[in-house]
Each structure stands twice: as C-alpha cells, then as structure tokens.
Amino acid sequence: MAATMWGEPFGRAARTRRVCATCMHEPLRCALRAGVLILFLAAIAAAGACRRGPAVDATQVTAMPVTGALPTEDPLSALWNRAPEHPAALLPQDVVEPTLAAPGATRVNVRALHNREWIVFRLGWEDATENTLAEIGVTSDSVALQLPVAPGTQVPDPAMGEAGKAVQLLYWKALWQGDAERAAAGQDRVAALYPNATTDHYPFLANPAAKEEMARRYAPAEAAGNPITRPPGASPVQELLAEGYGTTTAAPAQRAIGRGAWRDGRWLVTLARPLDEGDGLARLTVGQKTVLAVAVWDGASRQAGARKMRSAWIPLVLEAAPAP
Amino acid sequence: MARVFNWQLGRAMDYWYPENRPKRQFGAVFDINKCIACQTCTLSCKTTWTSGRGQEFMFWNNVETKPYGYYPLAWDVTLLEALGAQTWDGATYTGRTVFEAAPPGERVLGWMPDGMDYASPNIGEDEITGQVDKGMALTLPQQVWMFYLARICNHCTYPACLSSCPRASIYKRPEDGIVVLDQSRCRGYQECVRACPYKKVYFNPATGTSEKCIACFPKIEEGIQPQCFVNCIGKIRLQGWVNPPARAREDNPIDYLVHVRKLALPLYPQFGLEPNVYYVPPVNVPDAFLVQMFGPDAPAAVKTYRNARHDRTLAGLFALFGSTERTIPFFRISGDEAIALDDDRREIVRVPIYEPLFIRPAEDPARRIIRLNVT
C-alpha cells in the first residue's frame, strides 16, 4: 500500500501511542486502507506486527540508548525506528524585529539516539523546495537545535539565551552540505548559480604563484576567518554559542557532524555531537533531564537570522541503557 | 526606536539607535552637469574591490541614466511608490521616512530585489524622455532630456543597513563616519540588502556575506580621495568633510556648496537617512523631477549653477575638483587662484580660477598663410 515514508497522524490529542513501523499509521487505519475483507485479515496480522513500532511522544524528547555506532550521518537508517518521535510545535519568531510575517513549517519531528559517547538528533520537517544555494533574495534551508550550556532549574530565555545564561546551538545549513556535493563535482557556488556564465578575467588568476593570496583579498570574509565561510570539506553542522539574540558566535570546538536528506517535500537532518565537549559547551550525561529547542529556516521564503520558525523549550531525557 | 534630528528634513524623526554623529563625516559633492558616463569610476572601483568570485554582478560605484536607467532594476521607483506621498512644507519634510513607514514587525520599509534585477546594469542608458522628431531643433529649455547619475554608498548619518542588521554587523566609523560592514561578523541574513533604499549593499554568494562600498577608507586614512574620485575623467567629484548646519564652515568646500550656497543637494532626502553624498543638480531637467530626487532646493540650485561661471568663489572651488589626489578639508580664493588647504591650512595645490584664453588670428602674417581650423 502506498504510504509516505514518515507520515504522521494529524489533529490528534497529545498522547503516547503505538504506530505501525511499516506504514506509520495506527493499526486500525492500516486496516481501513486495505479496504476489503481479505486485506482486513492481512491487516489484523499486520496489526499484531505493529506492536513493536516506535512511539510518538508529545511531552518530551527521549534519547534512546543504542550499543555500537550511531546513524550520525544517516537520517534514513532503520535505527531511527528505535527512537520515539516528538512533534515539536513551531511559532514564528516575534521577540525582536524583523519578525517572521508569513509562518512556515509548523512542526519539527525530533528523535534522538545516544551510545553513551555521542548523541544524534534527527529533525524532520516539511519544506516544499530544496534550497542548497544562497544568492540575493534566496537563502539556504537550515535547522538548529539549541541546548542550555548549564542545565538546571534556571533555564535561559528560549530566544537564543540571555546574558550570563548561554545556549549552544547545533546549526545545519543545506548550503554547506551542498558545497561538499558541488566540490565533489568540481563546481563552486557561483558556477552552480550561473552555469552558463563566463567571466573574461579575474585579476587573481594573472599570477599563479600568488593566486590563493590574491583571491583572498577579494574575499575579505574568508580572509577575516568569518565562521560563516566554511571550506567545502567542513562538516555541514556548525557549533555556535549565544547569550541572547544577535550575539551568535562560533563555539571554540567544532566536532559536530550531520547530514540532511530531502525527499518529496520533507527534510530529514541528523545533528550529532559528543556527549562531553568540555567546559563552556552544553554537557550532556546519560540519565540527565535537560531541555532543547529547535528552529527552522526555509530558504525559498528568504528566511534567515531572525526570520525563523522556532519552538519553546522541550524536555530532553537521555535514557540509560536497560539493565542487562 | 529613538528620536534623532535630521537637518535635511528640518525635523526630528524615528531611528533604531540614538543620535551619535561621528567626529568627522565623510562628505562628497558630485557635479552631475559634468558627468559623461564614461564609467571610469565604475572600472576603478571594480578593479580595486569587486574583481573576486561572487562579486561579478556588484558595482559598488555605478552610473545610470535617468529617467529610464536603474541598477538594480527600479531601485528608486519601487521604494518611492511604497513610501506614499512625499510632501514638503517649505524646508520641512511632512511625509514619512522609511523608518516611520516600517510595517509592523520590520525596522525599515524595504524590499528584497531579485538576482535578475542586477543583470542589466546599463538598462536605459542614454534613453531620452521623448522622441526626437523631424524638424526638431535644439532649444533651451531642452524638449527632451536625460542625465547621468553616478552613485556610491552615501555613508548616511542614519543608515538603514546599519539599523536593520539584527547582529549589529554594520557600524559607522567614529573617526570619519564611513559605514562599514564587518566581514568577520556578518552571517549573511541579507537584512541590509533589503533595507538600503539606495540598494548599495550586495550579497556575495561565494562567501555568503554581504558587501558594500567602504569609501576606500584605507586611502581616506592616508588623506587621499577614493578610487572613483581620483580616476574621474570629468573631474566631477570632490571628497571632504561635511558638518551639520550649525557647525558649517565657509572655508570648507563641502560645507560651502551644501550649506552656504545650497548648490549641492542630497539624493532622495525624503527616505530619511541623511545621505552624505551631495549632487549639483542637472540644469536641463524639469523642476518636478529634480524636486522629487533632490528636495525642494533643486530649482534654486539650478539657477545658482547657471551663474557659477561669474561667481569667483564657486568657479574657483569647482576648479579644485579633480585638481589633487588629496582630500580637501579647506580652501580659499586668492586673486585669480583657488587654493586647496589641508587640515593645518597649508597649501595642497593652487589652480587658476579661469583657464587663460588665447585667440589665434585666422591669418599668419609672417608666413602669409591662412591657418587651417582642424578640429
């Protein structure tokens, strides 16, 4: 039967319930889709098999333990079925101008897995177009996951933290992932934007020995070490710190990795980082209860910076492995 | 929003940050009547600053023909239409600025151009306002007209780009008022591109940050004028320092043209940014067009300019345009010469106010021959 790969129940009350791992619908709905008596019997059999599917948890994100390697760069891995899914509600950013006028994706589905050393989140949301390039008036699809640096009772302002209460962000940009794919094909952003363009001359090509140095003169953002300019081989996930909106800076350590896959109007993106990243960054430990928040940007709608859909703080629990 | 005073509008207005004028403000005067659209200014800027990957479409300096040219497309008419009625009561602006007209949830009334809007920088070049019909003769005032508008970043006193950045990545240098976009801080949100009414900030797709004219500030720091000024063939540009009216000095070239003689006017003052590049308006253009573009003083400025040749101070000052590579903070007229002075009032250069005129008789009596007039 035709079913979306990661469909979700709409308009239901917030409760934990079982869904079929195969078609992601509740067992009875599986049966109705079948439609005729013979298939009804098959559906009953299927319903029996559906008891082992992942849950939808509307109250929190639970990072389930796994042993061995995590699907840190595989958003389509079967391992994700082990994690319950939290449908995080998004609202337009309206704390500071410029606010988001036309709302976009209203939900991000969050799952998490950990293996006591690394944690990986998978975020899924609807996006009609895949925007992996940015130019005038077009921005890149992005998603960010926010954690308080110091978990505890005094959670920071969910709008990018506040002075003295920092937040850490794992920020994935489709543009950076696109850069790696383009570089593998020997193409850069300008060639991808304007495939038919020719340029008569770049001054920095006149002197091969000084080419790199001269090219950087015309790219001051790179020469200045701006973290927004990343070499094509870098991870598409950047670690950032902030103490209030407008204060985002690159974290001292950049160990996060991840990968996004866009299909049929949906992004699925993994964000992974070590549990322990040292001082100054959010420390995650097994058995811990903390919070997280998410934000998404739709490149086709020119969303960037403050023009975003964002969530409130959501409880995050790192579940300990079951006793052997 | 704070309240600040904008002398070009003759009133206070809203701005995102409180009033904070720099120690000295970069100021410039462009004489439109001398511009021939040779684009040497454009070339000099592009060779110096925007010859990198991702910068191909950028013209931090551009020259467009008015009324039918624009770069980017429709940059001024789009905003003029959105701003609503722009009315003046004498020297006081009674309409809305782009800050006062900001829609809810926005800091500035702006709009985001399309990539394709930058694809035709020469659109409308040399297009005149009407047909030239058979039998038409040259009259004054001219029946059809056009003029060239050379534009750089205006290094405004109240920049829309600066106020629109959520990260405060754009700042005004306190020593010279030049508006600079911090390339190490920008994260490519493009709010500045959207907000600038003059569309003089550009997004670089190769680096993912936005870039703009920097008034060649490394040259300014050495006391020399920007690239587009010193390379101008027509010598239409002069860079100096402009003061608010209360501090205007008669021996300061920019103050003299802007405040004392009211001959050099701001571009679209009604936007409310207090731009610091001033224009001597073209003399062959109808008043209504000039008033919309340069404010209510435009028709009087045209009259002043038509008489400039007979005004020793004005004629001498214009002769100093393009006479030296160095910034001219002060000047004086002495006899038949105009003298450019540095910050300590020491002479930079002196030029004759009027070029000497020699008339060669048609007949050469010594050789008993008629001289050919080969021109």
Side-chain angles (χ1 to χ4, degrees):
Chain A
M1 65 193 87
T4 55
M5 280 192 70
W6 42 92
E8 57 195 303
F10 291 99
R12 301 295 191 121
R15 283 266 184 263
T16 302
R17 61 205 175 286
R18 295 274 144 198
V19 295
C20 169
T22 311
C23 69
M24 299 293 290
H25 290 295
E26 295 191 4
L28 182 57
R29 238 176 114 181
C30 285
L32 289 173
R33 279 180 170 275
V36 295
L37 184 63
I38 293 171
L39 291 170
F40 179 75
L41 294 172
I44 289 176
C50 286
R51 232 176 269 128
R52 290 187 299 280
V56 171
D57 185 343
T59 57
Q60 66 180 33
V61 173
T62 309
M64 297 301 291
V66 302
T67 48
L70 291 171
T72 51
E73 287 168 305
D74 187 1
L76 306 174
S77 161
L79 275 175
W80 286 110
N81 294 330
R82 299 218 197 147
E85 183 158 281
H86 172 77
L90 299 177
L91 289 172
Q93 188 285 114
D94 61 358
V95 173
V96 64
E97 287 96 342
T99 61
L100 187 59
T106 51
R107 180 155 37 190
V108 170
N109 295 321
V110 186
R111 299 188 192 203
L113 296 168
H114 76 89
N115 64 0
R116 308 188 71 84
E117 291 193 4
W118 276 67
I119 183 167
V120 56
F121 300 89
R122 190 184 81 167
L123 308 178
W125 73 98
E126 283 186 5
D127 188 339
T129 55
E130 186 186 9
N131 291 95
T132 63
L133 274 173
E135 57 165 330
I136 293 233
V138 177
T139 53
S140 160
D141 292 336
S142 312
V143 68
L145 188 135
Q146 175 179 276
L147 298 160
V149 167
T153 51
Q154 296 274 323
V155 284
D157 190 328
M160 304 287 292
E162 54 190 284
K165 292 189 196 166
V167 294
Q168 180 191 9
L169 302 129
L170 300 177
Y171 176 65
W172 172 90
K173 222 170 157 70
L175 175 71
W176 292 329
Q177 186 168 306
D179 285 343
E181 287 158 15
R182 284 184 285 268
Q187 200 189 41
D188 70 358
R189 293 176 189 175
V190 176
L193 284 167
Y194 306 108
N196 299 317
T198 57
T199 325
D200 55 355
H201 174 67
Y202 291 105
F204 58 79
L205 293 176
N207 182 345
K211 195 173 85 162
E212 287 292 327
E213 186 257 332
M214 278 193 76
R216 279 162 71 81
R217 277 201 226 160
Y218 290 107
E222 285 180 21
N226 187 332
I228 204 77
T229 66
R230 290 163 75 74
S235 160
V237 182
Q238 191 174 56
E239 299 198 55
L240 304 167
L241 288 169
E243 287 188 26
Y245 52 78
T247 66
T248 311
T249 52
Q254 295 291 330
R255 296 183 59 192
I257 56 176
R259 183 155 182 72
W262 183 87
R263 200 167 304 186
D264 296 329
R266 290 190 66 88
W267 274 111
L268 278 181
V269 175
T270 56
L271 305 171
R273 52 152 275 185
L275 287 181
D276 185 358
E277 287 200 305
D279 292 332
L281 293 169
R283 176 162 279 129
L284 298 168
T285 50
V286 178
Q288 177 194 39
K289 283 184 171 51
T290 179
V291 289
L292 66 83
V294 291
V296 298
W297 293 264
D298 173 27
S301 307
R302 301 171 176 174
Q303 290 177 11
R307 300 182 197 263
K308 64 188 173 190
M309 298 294 292
R310 65 173 192 95
S311 78
W313 285 121
I314 300 157
L316 165 64
V317 169
L318 275 73
E319 201 153 286
Chain B
M1 284 282 195
R3 293 292 286 177
V4 298
F5 186 73
N6 182 329
W7 67 261
Q8 293 175 3
L9 304 185
R11 65 171 176 79
M13 63 168 207
D14 289 340
Y15 188 62
W16 192 258
Y17 295 105
E19 188 160 346
N20 187 9
R21 291 177 183 269
K23 229 158 45 84
R24 277 208 294 197
Q25 173 60 53
F26 169 96
V29 172
F30 292 7
D31 182 357
I32 289 179
N33 296 283
K34 297 201 181 83
C35 179
I36 58 172
C38 65
Q39 307 279 1
T40 305
C41 51
T42 308
L43 288 174
S44 68
C45 175
K46 182 149 261 299
T47 311
T48 309
W49 300 115
T50 60
S51 292
R53 199 100 172 116
Q55 299 179 315
E56 296 84 353
F57 74 96
M58 294 186 195
F59 291 102
W60 296 355
N61 177 102
N62 80 288
V63 185
E64 60 203 56
T65 303
K66 286 304 189 194
Y68 297 124
Y70 325 84
Y71 166 80
L73 198 64
W75 68 268
D76 49 358
V77 292
T78 305
L79 191 58
L80 291 170
E81 194 163 350
L83 194 50
Q86 298 132 48
T87 46
W88 294 80
D89 179 8
T92 305
Y93 178 57
T94 48
R96 299 180 308 167
T97 66
V98 297
F99 307 110
E100 289 156 358
E106 299 285 348
R107 301 188 188 191
V108 175
L109 174 69
W111 62 282
M112 182 64 91
D114 208 46
M116 281 301 286
D117 290 341
Y118 295 84
S120 307
N122 283 340
I123 197 167
E125 185 174 58
D126 289 357
E127 294 288 349
I128 50 178
T129 53
Q131 300 260 40
V132 177
D133 291 324
K134 217 167 173 181
M136 223 158 147
L138 180 63
T139 62
L140 287 173
Q142 295 170 0
Q143 293 150 293
V144 293
W145 56 271
M146 59 101 182
F147 66 94
Y148 302 122
L149 186 64
R151 308 197 297 119
I152 61 172
C153 164
N154 293 305
H155 297 283
C156 306
T157 303
Y158 303 117
C161 61
L162 187 156
S163 69
S164 70
C165 181
R167 288 177 53 72
S169 296
I170 302 183
Y171 62 99
K172 234 173 126 60
R173 288 158 49 106
E175 63 266 40
D176 51 26
I178 291 173
V179 179
V180 172
L181 203 160
D182 188 339
Q183 287 302 314
S184 69
R185 198 169 158 72
C186 175
R187 285 185 73 83
Y189 301 156
Q190 300 188 39
E191 297 295 338
C192 50
V193 177
R194 194 182 167 283
C196 175
Y198 303 98
K199 292 292 171 262
K200 277 297 176 184
V201 194
Y202 307 89
F203 178 71
N204 184 332
T207 60
T209 59
S210 298
E211 300 178 357
K212 64 180 285 298
C213 160
I214 57 171
C216 294
F217 68 78
K219 297 190 77 178
I220 302 292
E221 288 170 0
E222 301 295 317
I224 46 183
Q225 302 189 37
Q227 291 288 69
C228 54
F229 287 62
V230 303
N231 284 290
C232 173
I233 303 292
K235 300 180 192 277
I236 87 165
R237 305 182 180 209
L238 182 68
Q239 183 257 322
W241 310 104
V242 65
N243 290 301
R247 292 205 331 251
R249 295 190 56 99
E250 213 169 320
D251 58 350
N252 171 327
I254 312 296
D255 282 350
Y256 186 77
L257 292 170
V258 171
H259 295 302
V260 177
R261 303 306 300 269
K262 300 198 185 329
L263 178 53
L265 307 170
L267 180 60
Y268 292 122
Q270 60 267 44
F271 292 155
L273 281 61
E274 211 186 275
N276 289 304
V277 174
Y278 296 88
Y279 292 87
V280 176
V283 301
N284 57 333
V285 173
D287 282 352
F289 192 94
L290 291 181
V291 169
Q292 182 185 52
M293 189 174 269
F294 301 110
D297 288 337
V302 168
K303 285 200 180 66
T304 305
Y305 188 76
R306 283 196 186 282
N307 190 50
R309 187 176 205 288
H310 308 294
D311 182 322
R312 292 184 70 81
T313 312
L314 273 181
L317 179 46
F318 279 120
L320 287 174
F321 280 48
S323 65
T324 170
E325 199 184 13
R326 291 171 59 184
T327 301
I328 305 182
F330 300 106
F331 81 108
R332 71 182 162 87
I333 304 296
S334 171
D336 291 332
E337 291 175 323
I339 307 168
L341 306 168
D342 66 12
D343 280 317
D344 302 314
R345 299 291 198 298
R346 283 190 306 243
E347 178 177 316
I348 298 172
V349 71
R350 63 175 60 209
V351 299
I353 296 176
Y354 300 107
E355 288 290 339
L357 189 64
F358 297 97
I359 299 177
R360 300 174 79 215
E363 185 177 351
D364 181 339
R367 296 169 185 78
R368 302 214 315 265
I369 198 168
I370 303 292
R371 292 193 177 100
L372 285 174
N373 187 11
V374 184
T375 45

